[in-house]
Amino acid sequence: TTGYRKNDMRNAALRLIVFWAGMVTLGVELAASRLLAPFFGTSTLIWAVLIGLILIYLSFGYWIGGRWADRSPLFGTLISVTSAAAVLIGVIPLIAAPVLTLSVQGFADYNGGLLGGSLIGVLALFTLPMVLLGCVSPFALRLSLDDVQSSGRMAGQLYALSTLGSFVGTFIPVLWLIP
């Protein structure tokens, strides 16, 4: 029974990590809109750039996370990935103003426009932490699988938890953290 208990605890931890990664992903996206607003406004174009880039980062993270998990299927590796994402997200508020100010100034001088300035600013601030968050779900899936016969069920459960976390992450920043 010790092996089953250990697996249950590991799978519970993986589910919690996936939920939190989903929540943080949407929280960062909403907070990013507030960081960009003083520099680029809140137009539909800015939202499209932000949402589009975050989706690209996550897609890249899913791809990398799956490959990484196959090469190093260790819980400790997943913890390192999520820890690095957390540290990088924590740095964003500290460097956002200088990065976005340079982005606005650089594109104003070269007439790069609103789209180019916001694109460079978002790229500079959010690429690595969001790619790392994208690695979490495929990594957790790899670590959760005991056999391929349950892979579909496990994938569904983990992605459902990630999406529920994203749902919660939509409201916590808007209703509590940002105000």
Side-chain angles (χ1 to χ4, degrees), residues 35-60:
L35 283 173
L36 292 174
F39 300 92
F40 302 107
T42 58
S43 70
T44 305
L45 178 63
I46 297 304
W47 271 102
V49 167
L50 181 61
I51 292 168
L53 286 174
I54 297 294
L55 289 172
I56 287 171
Y57 301 154
L58 290 173
S59 295
F60 194 55

Short mmCIF file of all heavy atoms in Angstrom, two decimals, residues 35-60:
data_model
loop_
_atom_site.label_atom_id
_atom_site.label_comp_id
_atom_site.label_asym_id
_atom_site.label_seq_id
_atom_site.Cartn_x
_atom_site.Cartn_y
_atom_site.Cartn_z
N LEU A 35 0.01 46.22 -17.22
CA LEU A 35 1.36 46.73 -17.40
C LEU A 35 1.51 47.45 -18.73
O LEU A 35 2.20 48.47 -18.83
CB LEU A 35 2.38 45.58 -17.33
CG LEU A 35 2.71 45.03 -15.97
CD1 LEU A 35 3.60 43.80 -16.09
CD2 LEU A 35 3.38 46.07 -15.09
N LEU A 36 0.87 46.93 -19.76
CA LEU A 36 0.97 47.53 -21.09
C LEU A 36 0.12 48.79 -21.24
O LEU A 36 0.44 49.66 -22.05
CB LEU A 36 0.56 46.51 -22.15
CG LEU A 36 1.48 45.33 -22.34
CD1 LEU A 36 0.86 44.33 -23.32
CD2 LEU A 36 2.85 45.75 -22.81
N ALA A 37 -0.97 48.89 -20.50
CA ALA A 37 -1.94 49.98 -20.68
C ALA A 37 -1.33 51.39 -20.64
O ALA A 37 -1.61 52.19 -21.53
CB ALA A 37 -3.07 49.85 -19.66
N PRO A 38 -0.50 51.73 -19.66
CA PRO A 38 0.04 53.10 -19.65
C PRO A 38 0.95 53.41 -20.84
O PRO A 38 1.12 54.57 -21.20
CB PRO A 38 0.86 53.16 -18.35
CG PRO A 38 0.39 52.03 -17.52
CD PRO A 38 -0.10 50.98 -18.46
N PHE A 39 1.50 52.38 -21.44
CA PHE A 39 2.45 52.58 -22.53
C PHE A 39 1.78 52.48 -23.90
O PHE A 39 2.14 53.20 -24.82
CB PHE A 39 3.58 51.55 -22.44
CG PHE A 39 4.36 51.66 -21.16
CD1 PHE A 39 4.01 50.90 -20.06
CD2 PHE A 39 5.41 52.54 -21.06
CE1 PHE A 39 4.72 51.01 -18.87
CE2 PHE A 39 6.13 52.66 -19.88
CZ PHE A 39 5.78 51.90 -18.78
N PHE A 40 0.82 51.57 -24.04
CA PHE A 40 0.23 51.29 -25.35
C PHE A 40 -1.29 51.38 -25.39
O PHE A 40 -1.88 51.17 -26.43
CB PHE A 40 0.66 49.89 -25.82
CG PHE A 40 2.14 49.73 -25.91
CD1 PHE A 40 2.82 48.97 -24.97
CD2 PHE A 40 2.87 50.35 -26.91
CE1 PHE A 40 4.19 48.82 -25.04
CE2 PHE A 40 4.24 50.21 -26.98
CZ PHE A 40 4.91 49.45 -26.05
N GLY A 41 -1.91 51.62 -24.25
CA GLY A 41 -3.37 51.68 -24.20
C GLY A 41 -3.98 50.29 -24.02
O GLY A 41 -3.28 49.31 -23.77
N THR A 42 -5.28 50.25 -24.17
CA THR A 42 -6.00 48.99 -23.97
C THR A 42 -6.90 48.66 -25.15
O THR A 42 -7.96 48.07 -25.00
CB THR A 42 -6.86 49.06 -22.68
OG1 THR A 42 -7.76 50.16 -22.80
CG2 THR A 42 -6.00 49.20 -21.44
N SER A 43 -6.47 49.01 -26.31
CA SER A 43 -7.28 48.78 -27.51
C SER A 43 -7.40 47.29 -27.81
O SER A 43 -6.66 46.46 -27.27
CB SER A 43 -6.66 49.49 -28.72
OG SER A 43 -5.46 48.84 -29.09
N THR A 44 -8.31 46.99 -28.68
CA THR A 44 -8.48 45.61 -29.13
C THR A 44 -7.21 45.09 -29.77
O THR A 44 -6.85 43.91 -29.62
CB THR A 44 -9.66 45.52 -30.12
OG1 THR A 44 -10.81 46.08 -29.50
CG2 THR A 44 -9.94 44.09 -30.52
N LEU A 45 -6.49 45.94 -30.47
CA LEU A 45 -5.23 45.55 -31.08
C LEU A 45 -4.22 45.09 -30.03
O LEU A 45 -3.56 44.06 -30.20
CB LEU A 45 -4.66 46.71 -31.90
CG LEU A 45 -3.32 46.47 -32.58
CD1 LEU A 45 -3.42 45.36 -33.60
CD2 LEU A 45 -2.82 47.75 -33.21
N ILE A 46 -4.11 45.84 -28.95
CA ILE A 46 -3.17 45.48 -27.88
C ILE A 46 -3.59 44.15 -27.26
O ILE A 46 -2.75 43.28 -27.01
CB ILE A 46 -3.10 46.59 -26.82
CG1 ILE A 46 -2.55 47.89 -27.44
CG2 ILE A 46 -2.25 46.16 -25.63
CD1 ILE A 46 -1.21 47.75 -28.12
N TRP A 47 -4.87 43.97 -27.01
CA TRP A 47 -5.36 42.71 -26.45
C TRP A 47 -5.07 41.55 -27.41
O TRP A 47 -4.68 40.47 -26.99
CB TRP A 47 -6.86 42.77 -26.14
CG TRP A 47 -7.11 43.28 -24.76
CD1 TRP A 47 -7.51 44.54 -24.40
CD2 TRP A 47 -6.97 42.55 -23.54
NE1 TRP A 47 -7.61 44.63 -23.04
CE2 TRP A 47 -7.30 43.42 -22.49
CE3 TRP A 47 -6.60 41.25 -23.23
CZ2 TRP A 47 -7.27 43.02 -21.15
CZ3 TRP A 47 -6.57 40.86 -21.90
CH2 TRP A 47 -6.90 41.74 -20.89
N ALA A 48 -5.26 41.79 -28.70
CA ALA A 48 -5.00 40.74 -29.69
C ALA A 48 -3.52 40.34 -29.69
O ALA A 48 -3.19 39.15 -29.74
CB ALA A 48 -5.43 41.19 -31.08
N VAL A 49 -2.64 41.32 -29.62
CA VAL A 49 -1.21 41.05 -29.56
C VAL A 49 -0.89 40.25 -28.30
O VAL A 49 -0.19 39.22 -28.35
CB VAL A 49 -0.37 42.35 -29.60
CG1 VAL A 49 1.08 42.10 -29.24
CG2 VAL A 49 -0.49 43.01 -30.97
N LEU A 50 -1.40 40.68 -27.18
CA LEU A 50 -1.12 40.03 -25.91
C LEU A 50 -1.65 38.59 -25.90
O LEU A 50 -0.90 37.65 -25.60
CB LEU A 50 -1.75 40.83 -24.77
CG LEU A 50 -1.54 40.29 -23.37
CD1 LEU A 50 -0.07 40.23 -23.03
CD2 LEU A 50 -2.29 41.16 -22.37
N ILE A 51 -2.90 38.40 -26.24
CA ILE A 51 -3.49 37.06 -26.25
C ILE A 51 -2.79 36.16 -27.26
O ILE A 51 -2.46 35.01 -26.97
CB ILE A 51 -5.01 37.13 -26.52
CG1 ILE A 51 -5.72 37.79 -25.34
CG2 ILE A 51 -5.59 35.75 -26.79
CD1 ILE A 51 -7.17 38.18 -25.61
N GLY A 52 -2.55 36.69 -28.45
CA GLY A 52 -1.89 35.91 -29.49
C GLY A 52 -0.51 35.44 -29.09
O GLY A 52 -0.15 34.28 -29.27
N LEU A 53 0.27 36.34 -28.52
CA LEU A 53 1.62 35.96 -28.11
C LEU A 53 1.61 34.96 -26.96
O LEU A 53 2.39 34.01 -26.96
CB LEU A 53 2.44 37.20 -27.74
CG LEU A 53 2.87 38.05 -28.93
CD1 LEU A 53 3.54 39.32 -28.45
CD2 LEU A 53 3.80 37.26 -29.84
N ILE A 54 0.73 35.16 -26.00
CA ILE A 54 0.64 34.22 -24.88
C ILE A 54 0.28 32.83 -25.40
O ILE A 54 0.85 31.82 -24.97
CB ILE A 54 -0.37 34.69 -23.82
CG1 ILE A 54 0.05 36.02 -23.19
CG2 ILE A 54 -0.61 33.61 -22.77
CD1 ILE A 54 1.30 36.00 -22.35
N LEU A 55 -0.63 32.76 -26.36
CA LEU A 55 -0.99 31.46 -26.94
C LEU A 55 0.19 30.82 -27.67
O LEU A 55 0.40 29.61 -27.59
CB LEU A 55 -2.19 31.61 -27.88
CG LEU A 55 -3.53 31.89 -27.20
CD1 LEU A 55 -4.60 32.20 -28.23
CD2 LEU A 55 -3.94 30.72 -26.31
N ILE A 56 0.96 31.61 -28.37
CA ILE A 56 2.16 31.09 -29.04
C ILE A 56 3.17 30.58 -28.01
O ILE A 56 3.73 29.50 -28.16
CB ILE A 56 2.78 32.14 -29.97
CG1 ILE A 56 1.90 32.33 -31.21
CG2 ILE A 56 4.20 31.75 -30.38
CD1 ILE A 56 2.29 33.48 -32.08
N TYR A 57 3.38 31.36 -26.94
CA TYR A 57 4.31 30.93 -25.90
C TYR A 57 3.86 29.61 -25.29
O TYR A 57 4.67 28.72 -25.05
CB TYR A 57 4.41 31.97 -24.78
CG TYR A 57 4.86 33.33 -25.20
CD1 TYR A 57 4.50 34.45 -24.47
CD2 TYR A 57 5.64 33.54 -26.34
CE1 TYR A 57 4.91 35.72 -24.83
CE2 TYR A 57 6.04 34.81 -26.70
CZ TYR A 57 5.68 35.89 -25.95
OH TYR A 57 6.07 37.15 -26.31
N LEU A 58 2.57 29.50 -24.99
CA LEU A 58 2.05 28.27 -24.40
C LEU A 58 2.20 27.10 -25.36
O LEU A 58 2.59 26.00 -24.94
CB LEU A 58 0.59 28.44 -23.99
CG LEU A 58 0.35 29.37 -22.79
CD1 LEU A 58 -1.13 29.59 -22.60
CD2 LEU A 58 1.01 28.83 -21.53
N SER A 59 1.92 27.32 -26.63
CA SER A 59 2.08 26.24 -27.61
C SER A 59 3.52 25.76 -27.67
O SER A 59 3.79 24.56 -27.69
CB SER A 59 1.65 26.72 -29.01
OG SER A 59 0.29 27.00 -29.03
N PHE A 60 4.43 26.69 -27.69
CA PHE A 60 5.84 26.33 -27.69
C PHE A 60 6.19 25.58 -26.40
O PHE A 60 6.93 24.60 -26.42
CB PHE A 60 6.69 27.60 -27.86
CG PHE A 60 8.12 27.35 -28.20
CD1 PHE A 60 8.48 26.59 -29.30
CD2 PHE A 60 9.13 27.88 -27.42
CE1 PHE A 60 9.82 26.35 -29.62
CE2 PHE A 60 10.46 27.66 -27.72
CZ PHE A 60 10.80 26.89 -28.82
#
